Amino acid sequence: MGSYGEPTIPVVDLSSFFSGGAEDQQQAADQLVKACRDLGFVAITGHGVSSGLLREAFDWSKKLFELSHEDKMKAPHPASSIPHRGYSPPGLEKVYSKQLCEGDDAETSQGKSLRKVKDFKESYEIGSEDNPSQPNIWLPETILPGYRKFMLQFYWELNKSAQMILQAIGKGLQLMDSELANLLRLHPGQNNQLRLLHYPPVPVELLENQIVARMPAHTDWSSFTLLFQDDCGGLELEDPRNPGLFIPATPIPDALVLNIGDMFQRISNDTFKTATHRVALPPLQQSRGDGANVTRARYSIPYFFAPNDDAVVECLPSTVRRDRPAAYEPIMFKDYGAWRSKYAYQQPEVEV
């Protein structure tokens, strides 16, 4: 299932950035930026999200996925990428790399070539209630009372943490005040995405023989992602210095994993590289009665921090020089997202 390299995921404590003096804040910001430059992937402690709130969020996630299929399908994700909201059963969504999206096979087959191996996971997507282009799709309140209220509160709590992390990145990059102010305007929070993910137990043999996948190697197209995971394991980062070599992101209690997305690679003019990652075979497995090994169930909660749909994303002025011109043309975020996600969901067959 891939080889492991000697490097490990760096860990940065941001508590001093949230509550320390100017010198401590700068030191924490510098450590964060160094990790983002080196790998685009970093574990963060002291991120401002309480352990109690995280436990409550994972409890709600487990309650959700323990519902019957019939009940979960009362908030169905549509058979298209927009709105990217509601419940997706195993096999509905397909995750793929940017390179595969650009390939001739995907274009010729209208994405069907990407679905030869299905992703064995289920998810529920949530956004802001102030985003008319991506309206939420909720379960009836009687199915899971209190779920909607908690998730909306949790969404905005994560946005507070993401905003502070963005400020830390700006400080570590020594951005001009005007550049940081513009970055914050690009990311007011209305277009972020909260995702609840469940990877049900699956026979190890099916993963090893690539009959099904958990989540193939890919990058996120947001600016960055905050990911919380349980203790199961399986998340891996491709080492950008050694393509094809994957580094396990070993779970750390209450820590989040930050990975740089496509948008911040563009914003930073390649100062940060978007992080290729996957969910593969976890180190901890269990045996069934027939002796076959199966994976443990895995739960994770990613939060995609993104510009507003109509935001035009371009390289920061301070990253562009005569000897280092802008690597990317300006692009509207919704156009980029539509291109990246165009094959993620099966389109309904059209009768002729």
Side-chain angles (χ1 to χ4, degrees):
M1 296 301 294
S3 47
Y4 296 99
E6 298 232 347
T8 58
I9 306 299
V11 181
V12 173
D13 182 359
L14 279 188
S15 55
S16 59
F17 187 84
F18 280 75
S19 58
E23 186 175 337
D24 290 336
Q25 285 187 330
Q26 187 64 60
Q27 184 177 14
D30 290 344
Q31 290 173 353
L32 177 61
V33 164
K34 182 181 186 306
C36 290
R37 284 181 191 270
D38 291 346
L39 288 177
F41 212 79
V42 55
I44 298 177
T45 60
H47 44 66
V49 184
S50 73
S51 57
L53 186 63
L54 290 175
R55 281 196 300 272
E56 193 173 356
F58 277 99
D59 286 345
W60 277 110
S61 180
K62 288 177 182 177
K63 289 177 186 176
L64 167 73
F65 292 118
E66 286 170 355
L67 293 174
S68 68
H69 177 74
E70 180 184 13
D71 279 346
K72 287 181 285 192
M73 288 303 293
K74 291 176 181 174
H77 192 294
S80 61
S81 298
I82 298 176
H84 192 24
R85 299 291 183 261
Y87 172 71
S88 298
L92 179 63
E93 183 200 34
K94 181 60 188 176
V95 172
Y96 47 82
S97 69
K98 184 166 55 175
Q99 291 75 18
L100 287 177
C101 182
E102 294 170 332
D104 291 339
D105 286 350
E107 175 104 17
T108 303
S109 69
Q110 287 298 291
K112 289 184 174 59
S113 63
L114 304 174
R115 293 182 169 272
K116 292 176 181 177
V117 178
K118 289 189 175 181
D119 295 353
F120 195 70
K121 67 183 189 308
E122 55 182 340
S123 64
Y124 196 107
E125 323 296 334
I126 300 162
S128 163
E129 296 279 63
D130 304 321
N131 187 351
S133 65
Q134 295 270 10
N136 280 316
I137 300 172
W138 293 109
L139 291 168
E141 183 66 14
T142 54
I143 298 294
L144 198 56
Y147 168 77
R148 175 176 181 170
K149 179 180 179 181
F150 175 83
M151 286 302 162
L152 288 174
Q153 292 173 341
F154 187 51
Y155 175 99
W156 288 110
E157 283 299 312
L158 295 185
N159 184 63
K160 290 179 187 176
S161 179
Q163 294 279 345
M164 288 296 289
I165 289 170
L166 181 61
Q167 292 186 51
I169 289 173
K171 194 174 189 68
L173 287 173
Q174 300 182 346
L175 298 183
M176 297 180 292
D177 289 345
S178 59
E179 288 181 311
L180 180 56
N182 185 49
L183 268 186
L184 292 169
R185 280 195 297 271
L186 279 176
H187 298 85
Q190 280 84 359
N191 202 38
N192 300 340
Q193 178 192 337
L194 171 61
R195 161 173 265 206
L196 308 180
L197 269 169
H198 173 224
Y199 299 82
V202 60
V204 170
E205 183 181 5
L206 296 184
L207 292 171
E208 291 178 333
N209 293 329
Q210 298 185 3
I211 295 170
V212 298
R214 281 190 140 196
M215 189 174 287
H218 66 285
T219 61
D220 298 337
W221 62 84
S222 54
S223 290
F224 57 75
T225 304
L226 311 182
L227 180 127
F228 302 90
Q229 57 177 331
D230 66 9
D231 64 353
C232 178
L235 177 64
E236 299 176 345
L237 161 74
E238 185 175 31
D239 187 342
R241 298 159 298 196
N242 297 286
L245 196 68
F246 282 84
I247 308 167
T250 304
I252 300 172
D254 296 334
L256 66 80
V257 176
L258 178 146
N259 65 269
I260 296 299
D262 294 355
M263 284 300 102
F264 219 92
Q265 177 168 318
R266 301 176 77 100
I267 288 168
S268 69
N269 198 25
D270 288 339
T271 301
F272 296 164
K273 296 291 188 180
T274 186
T276 298
H277 55 287
R278 69 183 184 185
V279 178
L281 193 63
L284 299 177
Q285 302 159 21
Q286 55 196 18
S287 294
R288 295 189 313 200
D290 59 4
N293 285 339
V294 296
T295 63
R296 283 179 52 196
R298 179 178 187 267
Y299 294 86
S300 67
I301 303 177
Y303 185 73
F304 303 95
F305 187 62
N308 272 358
D309 261 352
D310 59 358
V312 176
V313 177
E314 55 190 327
C315 301
L316 290 166
S318 61
T319 68
V320 178
R321 302 187 300 269
R322 180 175 297 178
D323 61 342
R324 190 187 175 193
Y328 307 97
E329 294 292 327
I331 192 169
M332 193 172 290
F333 178 66
K334 67 178 179 183
D335 294 337
Y336 186 84
W339 171 70
R340 281 297 315 271
S341 64
K342 63 182 176 178
Y343 302 131
Y345 284 82
Q346 284 278 16
Q347 301 299 316
E349 295 292 333
V350 177
E351 294 185 7
V352 180

